Amino acid sequence: QKEVEQDPGPLSVPEGAIVSLNCTYSNSAFQYFMWYRQYSRKGPELLMYTYSSGNKEDGRFTAQVDKSSKYISLFIRDSQPSDSATYLCAMSAVASGGSYIPTFGRGTSLIVHP
Amino acid sequence: DTEVTQTPKHLVMGMTNKKSLKCEQHMGHRAMYWYKQKAKKPPELMFVYSYEKLSINESVPSRFSPECPNSSLLNLHLHALQPEDSALYLCASSQRGLREGENEQFFGPGTRLTVL
């Protein structure tokens, strides 16, 4: 079992839909959770960064962490064609040697069609 | 300046060539990273510099040689690469040193490398 599981998709939705992207993980030590957006052939862009359980909202994006279920989500409201990209989850804990190197999911490809 | 820059954007090289990738950030970040990313895969960590010292080397072949000349610059020297090394090479930086706490990473746009 991989440490971080993420469905690669593609997930295809109509413009204006609410999108739900998810990751599950097995390492209960993960404390920091991130979502990145990556357009084709570009570098990942940090969207959301959360610590421990709970919700965090930023504009049309809401990140949700449920540590008891080892499950994180990213919701996108009023999705736009410009949201079409690959969304990577990442999470980190204090590893051996005290480093906080993130572990990435494989990414979910999102397509928002007009 | 709030971004990580990488040059070149694209690079095509033969297996006998020597080339270098460059990364720069002026955000005062203390840790810098090299990742390799293949199509439809997540980034794979290669090297980490923290306070200009090589802190992590993820068993990367010696044909990849990192260098951190100063706190703002990170290079990746390439020599005798193989076609399977073709990938997007990403540089990232984070505010704190590697062992100083949570550390969200900011990525550059990447260098698209093709080895013929």
Side-chain angles (χ1 to χ4, degrees), chain A residues 32 36 38 43-44 49 97-98 105, chain B residues 37 42 99 102 105 107-109 112:
Chain A
Y32 307 101
Y36 288 87
Q38 186 173 23
Y49 181 81
Chain B
Q37 187 179 29
R99 296 178 175 81
E102 79 277 13
Q105 296 180 339
F107 284 84
R112 175 74 52 187

Side-chain angles (χ1 to χ4, degrees), chain B residues 79-107:
Chain B
H79 174 54
L81 294 194
Q82 303 297 310
E84 60 264 29
D85 296 321
S86 299
L88 180 68
Y89 287 83
L90 294 162
C91 174
S93 69
S94 55
Q95 184 177 12
R96 296 182 180 84
L98 195 57
R99 296 178 175 81
E100 292 181 346
E102 79 277 13
N103 245 337
E104 62 265 48
Q105 296 180 339
F106 297 87
F107 284 84

Side-chain angles (χ1 to χ4, degrees), chain A residues 32 34 36 38 40-46 49 51 88 92 96-102 104-107, chain B residues 33 35 37 40-43 45 48 56 88 90 98-110 112:
Chain A
Y32 307 101
M34 293 145 278
Y36 288 87
Q38 186 173 23
S40 180
R41 297 177 170 263
K42 302 291 186 185
E45 173 194 4
L46 182 65
Y49 181 81
Y51 171 71
L88 295 150
S92 67
S96 60
S99 65
Y100 293 78
I101 299 297
F104 285 87
R106 60 184 298 187
Chain B
Y33 311 74
Y35 285 88
Q37 187 179 29
K40 300 189 185 299
K41 300 287 187 184
L45 184 67
V48 183
I56 292 179
L88 180 68
L90 294 162
L98 195 57
R99 296 178 175 81
E100 292 181 346
E102 79 277 13
N103 245 337
E104 62 265 48
Q105 296 180 339
F106 297 87
F107 284 84
R112 175 74 52 187

Side-chain angles (χ1 to χ4, degrees), chain A residues 50-63:
Chain A
T50 55
Y51 171 71
S52 197
S53 287
N55 291 0
K56 183 176 181 179
E57 189 174 320
D58 185 0
R60 295 185 297 113
F61 299 92
T62 299

Side-chain angles (χ1 to χ4, degrees), chain B residues 15-83:
Chain B
M15 288 190 284
T16 58
N17 292 157
K18 285 186 180 180
K19 296 287 184 184
S20 297
L21 310 184
K22 296 185 184 303
C23 173
E24 194 164 358
Q25 57 87 15
H26 294 288
M27 297 178 280
H29 286 184
R30 301 303 189 183
M32 296 184 76
Y33 311 74
W34 279 117
Y35 285 88
K36 172 184 176 180
Q37 187 179 29
K38 294 279 217 179
K40 300 189 185 299
K41 300 287 187 184
E44 296 175 38
L45 184 67
M46 299 175 73
F47 303 103
V48 183
Y49 276 83
S50 182
Y51 288 94
E52 302 169 48
K53 286 186 168 41
L54 183 63
S55 298
I56 292 179
N57 176 341
E58 291 289 297
S59 302
V60 178
S62 60
R63 55 186 185 269
F64 295 92
S65 175
E67 178 195 19
C68 188
N70 61 54
S71 61
S72 300
L73 292 173
L74 187 66
N75 297 322
L76 186 63
H77 302 298
L78 314 173
H79 174 54
L81 294 194
Q82 303 297 310

